[in-house]
Amino acid sequence: MQVRNRCVKAATAVAATMLLAACGSSTTTASPSTTTASASTTTAATASSATSAPAVAAAAPDGNITVYSGQHEQTVAALVAAFESQAHIKVSVRSDDEATLANQILQEGGSSPADVFFGENPASLNTLDAKHLLATTTASTLAAVPSIDSPTTGNWVGVSARAVALVYNTSKVKESALPTSILDFADPVWKGKFGFAPGETDFQPIVTAIIQTNGLDAATAWLTGLKTNAKLYDDNEGLVAAVNRGEIETGVIDHYYWYRLSDEVGAGKVTSALHYFAAGDPGSLVDVSGAGQLLSSKHPGSAQAFLAFLVSKPAQDIIATSESYEYPLAAGVTTSKPLRPFADFGTPVVTIAQLGDGQQAVRLLQQIGLL
Amino acid sequence: MRLARRHPRAAPPWIAATATAIGVLLLVPLVGVLVEALGTDSRTVRRVLSGPLLPTLLIHTVELTAIVSIGCGVLGLGSAWLVERTDLPFRRLFAVLLVAPLAVPEFVASYSWVSLAPSVQGLWGASLVMTLSLYPLVFLPVAASLRRSDPAVDEVARSLGVGSVRRFCTITLPSVSRALVGGTLLIGLYMLGEYGAFALLRYRTFATAIYTQYKTLDSNTASALTLVLCLIGVVLLMGESRVGRRGQALRESGRPAARSRLGRATPVAVIGVVALCVLGIGVPIGSIVHWMVRGSSTTLPPASVVSTTIESLKLGGIAALIATLLAVPVAVMAVRHRSRLSSTIERSAYLDRALPGIAIGLTLVTVAVHQFRSLYQTTTMLEIAYVILFFPLALVSVRSAVARVPVSLDDAARALGASPFRVLRRVIVPLVLPGLAAAATLVWLSATTELTATLLLRPTGLKTLATQFWVYTTGLAYGAAAPYAAIMIATSMVPVLLLFRLGRASAGRTKRSEAFR
Amino acid sequence: MSAVEVEHLTVAYDKQPVLIDASLTVEEGTLTCVLGPSGCGKTTLLRAVAGFEPARSGTISIGGKVVDDSSKRLAPERRHVGYVPQEGALFPHLTVGANVGFAIGGPNRAARLDRDRRVLELLDLVGMAELVDRMPHQLSGGQQQRVSVARALASDPTVVLLDEPFASLDAALRDRLRHDIRDVLRAAGTTAILVTHDRAEALSLGDQVAIMRDGKIIQAGPPRELYRLPVDLGVATFVGEATVLHAVVDPTRPTFASTVLGEMTLLHPAAADCQVVVRPEQVCVRRLDAITTASSAERAGGAGGGAAAEFAGGAAGVGHGTVRRVEYYGHDARVDIDLDATFTDVHGESFDANDRVAGESDERRGGPVRVIARVAGSQSWAGGDRVVLHVDSPVWPLP
């Protein structure tokens, strides 16, 4: 009996220690505000008279909305909180993988509870658009960001951008040794020294870009080369961490993964850095994250108000200062983070229309056996 | 006076009806996947089946399932034997620690390993991590069998001069073969559907490939792959029913077996068990502590962590309660009224376990959106998903508990005028209570830490410990994620301890009921 | 009115019949023992009456109501029977009192008080009243069976069914318990069917005994009738020790038969040659030396027949033999005697024993005829003793 009591106590002690550790080790705060925190009892009518951004005032609010978000959760939480206090529209956020949410909307069809889909890449938004699930975005909203960052259909609007980048381990590779073109990684000299995540929604646009700029055969040859050369990762979070700890020399990711990792590991302890491909190279791709209103939304007014808010200055400022490390798109707003200047990426290598739904890239990856 | 046509051994209509209804519920995901796959145009199916990836996935999945099943079998059996049948020092403490890995969700375990030892990856890395986190599913039932089995047979063999190794192989092993095969099957099926851990460990199996296809919005390819996975699951189940039937029924006894003396092997055994405990529970806890101390994003979890924890425990608790209750009629039917129907229900419950959570989740999304709109994105729907996902865990425990209640008790009660329902309520259920509690605990553990289906089916805005952990790890904020993992493990320790005590309790109950035989 | 009426009952498991065309009537207030070797279908008969097995054909009635007509049947819980399984099957999670009170329902307080009184009454009947609060695992095997019987009686069943209730108990306990239980059943005026493979149990307990073999009821009747007038050789040897002898019958004298032990009187006239069943207690046996001490002159003469004739007094058949085996039981002893191969009977007719016998079993065919006798335990017998023997009462002929 005594033995049993003792071991129960021991296990309880272990659990208690862990709890104490959890509570005691606080340093900085990055606590997400709760997305369900509702606006006050103020009526919706006051919203129109409020001296808010003109875009918000343009759409008449018609009830609370649900947003399916594949975006950085904490940033979205901050955006939603600002919108709620400004527009007095309650927003419920459903966070999940961008692709899972897109799949979910495809399954839900016309009866989706979502009013807005906030994605990470053009492919998922374009897929929904191609299935006629998105409604046209208000013209003034579209006008707030450069026209190349939204689709020609006008059915969703670009909100922020992320750039393709190469992360490399600084103790294993010198930046001078890195290629200027992403296509070079098909070369056998990179065998075992390059990693990528073929299943990531961030990777397929690169393939699409190569198909668009260099042709299908070049893309096939490149991927075939990667198949023998590269180490495959399941996602970019795993890849960037693997490069940082030296498991692999280089890896292709979107830039913000490295910044988020640096934040976590702590400045000075990072053993990796970012390298950008030359402008004009398919590897210099800049990807747009955007949002669109679902055609089935019962609250198009509120939904459009939310879209308008996303490209308004207050929202873009939040993005510019947030831990998502994405580039804001609205004119006059620049990121406050030490990122590569947005202008350095040059003109986009492919248009959003060219990126399409990404299925050609997926087929190619499947055909080669990378998916 | 009412005469009925029914065979007296046939299941009472309400048990058959309830079990069938549950069976239908369990079939929903399977049918959903089938319909989806059949709806896929034959070109896609042919492309998938002849694609370059399929052989790789087949080999990977089969290899991994085989290695982990065997590894768990060996570790589970070996540690159970050491704890139950030898004079291993500190065996009561070890008995708890050896079950503890159940408290660590697989995605947390694999994350810990990856961050601790990056070389842990690929086939052997995945095998290591999965074996270390799943072997308790063999340890628990085998230890229970060892506790209950009649030592007389072993003593006879001993008196005949049979050595300990041969005795272990010819007597101990067959006496626990049912528990061993049952536990291993569950692990095998689990392996087929597991995604998160393999993604982290960079090992491509059917489940990860299916996820990837969903991620690339190619649901046709995904459902074709799921169909292949289903077939592997069917093969596994057929294999089990063949092996499982050969297993001997346990001869139970209330007398504890004499413990083998380890003698000079004691240090080796202790080191082995300690190593197992350290690898299974020490590594995840160590890694979480590391991130809490080192991670820059480490923060006091917001006040909402309390409500998140309560929400998680509540969701898991309700699922555990429902799954366990539903398992009772199915188990009674499977044990007392074996028929084609009962085995179909059992099989479909197990087969669901082999499906990746995302396939089950998306099927339920479709069904709910189109058939039960009012249930969509409600906790009810989420609970239904949990019940489907974790029903096999409940069924395994409840079934073996029901099988240990002698049929003569049913007969005696019925002859005394008790209706089948009253027999269940007054005789079977009280006797299987420890089994029911063990079942509920296992489901509770798993449901509280479930991620994939939770993300897909939760009401918008609902947060659980697992979803919060996911939010932060996908943002690479490991420090902020660590407290959630710690709370998950800490709260799971309660059910784990409960599970441990219940194992003892049910053994005690048997001892007492044994005396009257 | 009969309490249980089984008519032409056939029960099968997966098309394999285990009970074939069985008929049995159990009168109210009596105890019927169903006796048979293991696997003969006796437990199936009991379970069919209880309602756990369905009739393939035939009918079962309890208390005058049909409970199974082989197409429709009454559920076990509605048949109003008491069931005592082999090992008692007490509910391990309930106290002795709760076990006995299991069948007695009652939602309100009055009913509960009533139930408690009834439980004590029943436990008193089986001599267990002081153990009402014990748990089953705290009871001995015999005590558990007593509780099990009390539990079965609790609902005033039309019939109590006992499935080898004493099989797992030790001999002394078994004897006492079986008679206690019979007394309890008598006192309660309960009809009962008890299944057993123990012939002593069946003959000593039953008002009626039904013999089963290969799924069939071969014979049913009072124990004495079964023992004295068995319907066939199987029954004859199953219900008790017996020597079966070939008998020659002269049609003009149908109540007499000639056997290796000389002429015997038959209990029932026989039309032709037959076999006769000789029970051990019918065999009078004496050691030859005991007889011849009185007439040593004749022993010197050598002819055993003369001495035997003198011993038997010419009343019935007579034979000579050698003791092969003695089993000593205290109050008596069983003596197996091999008859001499050839001898001359009282009428001077010569017999060859080997041709005449269908003995206790086939393995003895070809050997000497073996006769079983019982002698008082006070006499001392040993293997090799020469004996003379005869049968002193009428015997039962079988075709």
Side-chain angles (χ1 to χ4, degrees):
Chain A
M1 196 57 215
Q2 226 167 1
V3 179
R4 176 200 281 191
N5 273 344
R6 224 181 299 138
C7 63
V8 169
K9 272 181 202 148
T12 323
V14 171
T17 316
M18 280 165 29
L19 268 174
L20 282 176
C23 301
S25 62
S26 76
T27 47
T28 59
T29 346
S31 120
S33 47
T34 53
T35 54
T36 46
S38 165
S40 58
T41 48
T42 333
T43 53
T46 57
S48 53
S49 63
T51 53
S52 54
V56 177
D62 50 4
N64 299 331
I65 55 169
T66 299
V67 174
Y68 280 16
S69 162
Q71 269 282 353
H72 190 242
E73 162 130 346
Q74 289 89 324
T75 307
V76 172
L79 289 171
V80 163
F83 174 69
E84 282 182 334
S85 66
Q86 183 185 327
H88 304 290
I89 295 169
K90 193 184 157 193
V91 179
S92 306
V93 180
R94 187 176 187 84
S95 285
D96 203 337
D97 253 5
E98 164 190 49
T100 309
L101 289 171
N103 267 312
Q104 195 159 357
I105 292 173
L106 289 175
Q107 299 277 3
E108 291 164 352
S111 43
S112 175
D115 298 289
V116 172
F117 176 65
F118 192 1
E120 280 194 295
N121 287 286
S124 59
L125 286 153
N126 284 345
T127 303
L128 296 184
D129 196 4
K131 300 262 181 193
H132 309 294
L133 292 165
L134 298 181
T136 311
T137 309
T138 314
S140 58
T141 304
L142 289 169
V145 294
S147 62
I148 49 160
D149 294 325
S150 299
T152 44
T153 59
N155 286 346
W156 54 270
V157 61
V159 175
S160 57
R162 67 265 304 276
V164 173
L166 186 74
V167 60
Y168 64 99
N169 187 290
T170 44
S171 56
K172 296 209 165 183
V173 206
K174 295 241 174 314
E175 186 168 19
S176 55
L178 297 173
T180 52
S181 171
I182 197 169
L183 295 171
D184 291 0
F185 285 107
D187 192 300
V189 298
W190 287 102
K191 191 168 170 58
K193 295 176 179 172
F194 174 72
F196 74 110
E200 269 286 356
T201 40
D202 296 334
F203 182 75
Q204 287 132 34
I206 302 172
V207 179
T208 309
I210 296 174
I211 295 172
Q212 295 296 334
T213 54
N214 302 58
L216 189 60
D217 292 343
T220 310
W222 183 65
L223 285 175
T224 313
L226 286 197
K227 198 190 175 195
T228 44
N229 273 359
K231 214 167 162 182
L232 305 188
Y233 285 81
D234 198 73
D235 51 33
N236 285 344
E237 287 90 349
L239 174 57
V240 68
V243 172
N244 189 58
R245 63 175 173 251
E247 181 185 314
I248 183 129
E249 278 86 338
T250 64
V252 64
I253 54 170
D254 274 356
H255 76 281
Y256 63 90
Y257 287 101
W258 181 81
Y259 287 98
R260 291 182 194 169
L261 181 79
S262 309
D263 261 6
E264 184 61 19
V265 178
K269 293 184 199 151
V270 182
T271 50
S272 55
L274 283 187
H275 165 77
Y276 293 95
F277 299 107
D281 185 76
S284 70
L285 181 76
V286 172
D287 236 354
V288 171
S289 299
Q293 178 219 322
L294 271 79
L295 199 55
S296 57
S297 167
K298 304 246 175 356
H299 318 102
S302 297
Q304 288 298 336
F306 184 68
L307 295 182
F309 171 75
L310 287 179
V311 294
S312 69
K313 185 149 187 332
Q316 293 283 307
D317 281 338
I318 290 172
I319 293 169
T321 54
S322 80
E323 259 84 49
S324 80
Y325 291 98
E326 290 204 58
Y327 293 98
L329 288 179
V333 184
T334 48
T335 177
S336 67
K337 299 284 177 183
L339 306 182
R340 184 193 201 202
F342 194 53
D344 292 6
F345 291 102
T347 41
V349 281
V350 283
T351 64
I352 283 168
Q354 283 177 310
L355 286 174
D357 63 1
Q359 285 305 299
Q360 195 186 8
V362 171
R363 288 278 171 281
L364 188 58
L365 286 162
Q366 285 172 342
Q367 186 191 319
I368 289 167
L370 286 165
L371 281 185
Chain B
M1 184 161 68
R2 242 181 48 225
L3 295 185
R5 259 176 219 290
R6 225 156 31 78
H7 190 287
R9 286 272 145 213
W14 68 271
I15 284 192
T18 324
T20 310
I22 297 163
V24 169
L25 177 70
L26 296 171
L27 275 173
V28 165
L30 292 174
V31 171
V33 165
L34 248 167
V35 167
E36 188 85 8
L38 293 180
T40 312
D41 64 300
S42 55
R43 261 199 13 253
T44 310
V45 175
R46 224 173 305 130
R47 183 171 50 73
V48 170
L49 292 183
S50 61
L53 200 55
L54 195 76
T56 317
L57 293 182
L58 262 179
I59 292 167
H60 279 194
T61 305
V62 170
E63 268 180 352
L64 192 64
T65 306
I67 293 173
V68 172
S69 302
I70 293 169
C72 286
V74 170
L75 284 184
L77 178 66
S79 52
W81 183 76
L82 281 175
V83 165
E84 294 295 337
R85 284 293 174 85
T86 69
D87 60 350
L88 183 79
F90 311 112
R91 49 183 179 267
R92 305 294 298 260
L93 173 66
F94 283 135
V96 178
L97 291 179
L98 284 167
V99 189
L102 278 185
V104 184
E106 285 78 50
F107 56 90
V108 173
S110 16
Y111 163 69
S112 317
W113 277 98
V114 170
S115 57
L116 184 87
S119 53
V120 174
Q121 51 175 271
L123 176 61
W124 293 106
S127 303
L128 176 80
V129 174
M130 292 315 283
T131 306
L132 285 174
S133 54
L134 291 179
Y135 79 87
L137 289 177
V138 172
F139 174 84
L140 274 177
V142 170
S145 285
L146 283 176
R147 257 196 312 274
R148 292 194 297 257
S149 65
D150 188 355
V153 190
D154 192 64
E155 287 158 5
V156 168
R158 216 164 172 174
S159 72
L160 293 171
V162 178
S164 60
V165 174
R166 229 187 101 200
R167 273 204 326 271
F168 181 83
C169 296
T170 57
I171 290 155
T172 312
L173 202 55
S175 77
V176 299
S177 66
R178 276 195 183 180
L180 188 63
V181 169
T184 313
L185 169 76
L186 212 55
I187 289 170
L189 291 169
Y190 212 98
M191 296 297 299
L192 293 183
E194 173 64 25
Y195 159 73
F198 300 147
L200 275 165
L201 297 163
R202 300 200 326 101
Y203 197 66
R204 301 170 88 187
T205 64
F206 267 99
T208 63
I210 290 164
Y211 270 80
T212 310
Q213 303 300 348
Y214 276 122
K215 260 169 101 174
T216 58
L217 297 177
D218 187 355
S219 61
N220 283 337
T221 307
S223 40
L225 285 174
T226 310
L227 197 62
V228 179
L229 191 61
C230 263
L231 292 179
I232 300 177
V234 170
V235 170
L236 203 62
L237 278 174
M238 275 162 43
E240 187 271 343
S241 71
R242 198 157 288 173
V243 179
R245 227 174 276 146
R246 253 192 273 143
Q248 330 177 336
L250 196 64
R251 258 185 70 107
E252 296 198 354
S253 153
R255 199 155 48 87
R259 292 181 179 271
S260 302
R261 295 175 56 91
L262 287 172
R264 261 185 294 166
T266 307
V268 181
V270 171
I271 290 170
V273 176
V274 167
L276 193 55
C277 294
V278 167
L279 293 178
I281 183 89
V283 168
I285 290 180
S287 145
I288 287 162
V289 170
H290 168 89
W291 275 111
M292 282 197 294
V293 176
R294 294 278 307 279
S296 322
S297 65
T298 299
T299 165
L300 199 68
S304 66
V305 74
V306 176
S307 62
T308 306
T309 306
I310 291 170
E311 191 65 46
S312 301
L313 294 177
K314 204 173 78 190
L315 280 172
I318 294 171
L321 211 66
I322 297 173
T324 307
L325 280 181
L326 294 187
V328 172
V330 175
V332 167
M333 181 131 163
V335 174
R336 293 285 204 256
H337 316 283
R338 256 206 109 55
S339 65
R340 194 159 300 170
L341 178 67
S342 73
S343 30
T344 310
I345 296 172
E346 258 192 296
R347 297 260 165 85
S348 47
Y350 289 128
L351 204 51
D352 278 334
R353 198 76 203 90
L355 295 180
I358 194 166
I360 293 185
L362 280 176
T363 308
L364 289 177
V365 166
T366 314
V367 172
V369 163
H370 299 298
Q371 312 298 329
F372 306 96
R373 192 65 181 76
S374 58
L375 285 183
Y376 188 53
Q377 292 188 358
T378 60
T379 39
T380 313
M381 196 66 217
L382 188 56
E383 298 288 6
I384 292 174
Y386 286 158
V387 169
I388 293 175
L389 279 169
F390 302 116
F391 191 78
L393 288 177
L395 185 57
V396 165
S397 301
V398 177
R399 193 189 194 287
S400 71
V402 171
R404 287 171 46 219
V405 177
V407 188
S408 60
L409 293 184
D410 294 31
D411 290 349
R414 289 195 74 188
L416 288 168
S419 65
F421 180 71
R422 190 152 179 264
V423 174
L424 190 66
R425 192 170 59 84
R426 293 267 331 257
V427 180
I428 297 181
V429 167
L431 286 173
V432 301
L433 263 185
L436 293 188
T441 312
L442 270 177
V443 176
W444 187 25
L445 264 176
S446 314
T448 304
T449 55
E450 207 284 336
L451 181 59
T452 318
T454 312
L455 284 175
L456 263 171
L457 296 166
R458 65 183 162 155
T460 299
L462 178 93
K463 290 172 184 163
T464 70
L465 294 171
T467 63
Q468 288 305 96
F469 179 80
W470 168 86
V471 160
Y472 290 110
T473 47
T474 52
L476 290 165
Y478 295 129
Y484 290 97
I487 295 170
M488 265 190 273
I489 296 180
T491 51
S492 300
M493 280 312 288
V494 178
V496 164
L497 288 174
L498 212 60
L499 211 53
F500 169 76
R501 296 191 78 123
L502 286 168
R504 302 272 153 184
S506 80
R509 167 86 78 187
T510 317
K511 268 168 210 165
R512 282 192 274 117
S513 66
E514 232 11 77
F516 83 93
R517 290 191 162 192
Chain C
M1 185 189 66
S2 51
V4 176
E5 185 89 49
V6 174
E7 288 167 291
H8 307 292
L9 177 66
T10 296
V11 175
Y13 297 125
D14 298 330
K15 301 204 175 118
Q16 180 70 44
V18 285
L19 195 62
I20 304 150
D21 196 27
S23 295
L24 181 69
T25 302
V26 177
E27 294 304 329
E28 210 176 300
T30 65
L31 171 59
T32 293
C33 290
V34 179
L35 175 66
S38 51
C40 70
K42 57 189 191 298
T43 295
T44 305
L45 172 66
L46 199 73
R47 294 178 61 80
V49 173
F52 300 129
E53 307 297 342
R56 185 58 62 88
S57 62
T59 59
I60 303 170
S61 315
I62 296 177
K65 296 177 207 155
V66 176
V67 294
D68 191 339
D69 65 3
S70 70
S71 67
K72 288 182 177 176
R73 54 195 63 89
L74 198 63
E77 61 269 26
R78 299 159 150 267
R79 293 196 178 187
H80 222 63
V81 297
Y83 181 59
V84 181
Q86 206 161 27
E87 284 154 336
L90 295 186
F91 306 124
H93 58 299
L94 299 179
T95 62
V96 165
N99 260 284
V100 176
F102 186 87
I104 316 171
N108 54 37
R109 220 177 107 77
R112 269 205 306 279
L113 284 176
D114 239 23
R115 177 179 63 195
D116 292 349
R117 197 167 37 245
R118 176 91 176 114
V119 165
L120 279 178
E121 238 173 67
L122 286 160
L123 283 174
D124 204 34
L125 199 61
V126 295
M128 295 281 296
E130 71 278 17
L131 300 180
V132 62
D133 292 323
R134 293 277 182 89
M135 294 303 286
H137 69 273
Q138 298 171 307
L139 305 181
S140 72
Q143 289 172 324
Q144 289 184 4
Q145 285 299 5
R146 286 170 191 268
V147 176
S148 187
V149 170
R151 183 178 67 179
L153 289 172
S155 57
D156 274 326
T158 317
V159 58
V160 173
L161 309 167
L162 304 104
D163 186 3
E164 307 227 18
F166 314 116
S168 56
L169 306 178
D170 62 73
L173 185 62
R174 191 158 59 213
D175 277 353
R176 227 186 69 208
L177 188 63
R178 70 165 65 126
H179 291 104
D180 281 0
I181 298 292
R182 186 191 52 193
D183 292 345
V184 166
L185 294 172
R186 288 252 163 87
T190 312
T191 316
I193 302 177
L194 182 149
V195 153
T196 179
H197 62 267
D198 181 333
R199 66 185 175 206
E201 188 166 299
L203 295 179
S204 66
L205 287 183
D207 298 310
Q208 176 184 233
V209 174
I211 308 281
M212 287 194 66
R213 200 170 61 217
D214 300 333
K216 294 180 186 129
I217 293 183
I218 307 298
Q219 187 176 6
R224 183 186 303 277
E225 183 182 308
L226 250 57
Y227 188 74
R228 291 188 67 216
L229 316 172
V231 291
D232 64 19
L233 281 179
V235 174
T237 54
F238 190 67
V239 295
E241 294 164 345
T243 305
V244 180
L245 299 176
H246 185 79
V248 177
V249 176
D250 177 356
T252 59
R253 300 169 67 232
T255 54
F256 294 95
S258 299
T259 72
V260 285
L261 283 177
E263 183 164 90
M264 298 179 192
T265 315
L266 298 179
L267 282 165
H268 185 272
D273 287 3
C274 62
Q275 315 205 61
V276 291
V277 177
V278 181
R279 296 294 181 191
E281 66 275 11
Q282 291 182 294
V283 178
C284 291
V285 53
R286 288 184 72 181
R287 282 204 300 272
L288 264 181
D289 55 354
I291 303 166
T292 49
T293 23
S295 49
S296 51
E298 264 178 283
R299 186 181 55 179
E310 183 198 313
F311 156 60
V318 68
H320 287 219
T322 307
V323 172
R324 282 291 160 234
R325 199 172 63 158
V326 179
E327 283 173 30
Y328 181 66
Y329 289 106
H331 47 78
D332 70 352
R334 169 179 160 153
V335 179
D336 290 8
I337 300 152
D338 282 352
L339 292 185
D340 294 346
T342 56
F343 60 93
T344 314
D345 78 352
V346 282
H347 303 293
E349 202 174 332
S350 184
F351 281 90
D352 181 349
N354 288 339
D355 295 339
R356 298 285 178 221
V357 176
E360 211 176 351
S361 76
D362 285 346
E363 64 202 51
R364 227 158 268 152
R365 223 174 258 284
V369 178
R370 183 163 288 187
V371 176
I372 303 166
R374 288 267 175 177
V375 296
S378 55
Q379 300 171 14
S380 88
W381 293 74
D385 286 352
R386 292 285 297 158
V387 295
V388 56
L389 64 163
H390 75 280
V391 173
D392 70 349
S393 50
V395 294
W396 178 244
L398 285 172

